[in-house]
Amino acid sequence: MSVTYQDSNARMSQVAVHNATVYLAGQVPTDASADMRGQTEQVLARIDQLLAQAGTSKEHLISAQIWVTSMGEFDQMNAAWDAWVVPGRPPVRAAVEAKLAKPEWKVEIMVIAALPEA
């Protein structure tokens, strides 16, 4: 059983790949001054980067877990998500309201994707 890790530090890896499946750690915004939609767009752009680094893309998403700090801003998150997700290929998804590690963060997203067949 082979597992490869990318962008690792002592605590965690941003990416793990096993059996043609790519697992991403939860991604958070880099500019917390943005609104919910802006923060979500930042997170989705980072997800795009990490998936590409691992050899896949959002076209191969299997699942997504989304944490938002306020369901009152859920529509803003969904607006960014809907503009990003590949039409006809939405992953299974769960979204919940939660307190995140930093109070200025409004959203965190974690995804799993398949590697495309060679």
Side-chain angles (χ1 to χ4, degrees), residues 2 5 11 22 36-37 47 52 57 66 70 78 93 109 113 116:
S2 173
Y5 302 94
R11 178 172 295 146
V22 177
M36 174 67 83
R37 183 174 184 147
I47 288 171
S57 70
I66 303 172
S70 170
N78 270 331
R93 187 183 104 161
I109 302 175

Side-chain angles (χ1 to χ4, degrees), residues 36 66-74 94-100 106:
M36 174 67 83
I66 303 172
W67 297 271
V68 297
T69 56
S70 170
M71 283 298 179
E73 297 177 288
F74 192 67
V96 299
E97 183 177 85
K99 184 183 279 189
L100 301 181
K106 294 178 174 288

Side-chain angles (χ1 to χ4, degrees), residues 57-61 80-91:
S57 70
K58 65 185 176 183
E59 294 172 347
H60 302 284
L61 286 180
W81 176 269
D82 292 345
W84 177 80
V85 75
V86 176
R89 298 185 71 108

Side-chain angles (χ1 to χ4, degrees), residues 35-55:
D35 63 7
M36 174 67 83
R37 183 174 184 147
Q39 288 195 21
T40 303
E41 289 169 345
Q42 292 172 42
V43 170
L44 296 173
R46 178 67 175 144
I47 288 171
D48 281 335
Q49 292 171 344
L50 290 170
L51 290 174
Q53 174 183 310

Side-chain angles (χ1 to χ4, degrees), residues 1-5 16-21 23:
M1 172 189 336
S2 173
V3 180
T4 59
Y5 302 94
V17 181
H18 176 259
N19 283 344
T21 305
Y23 303 85

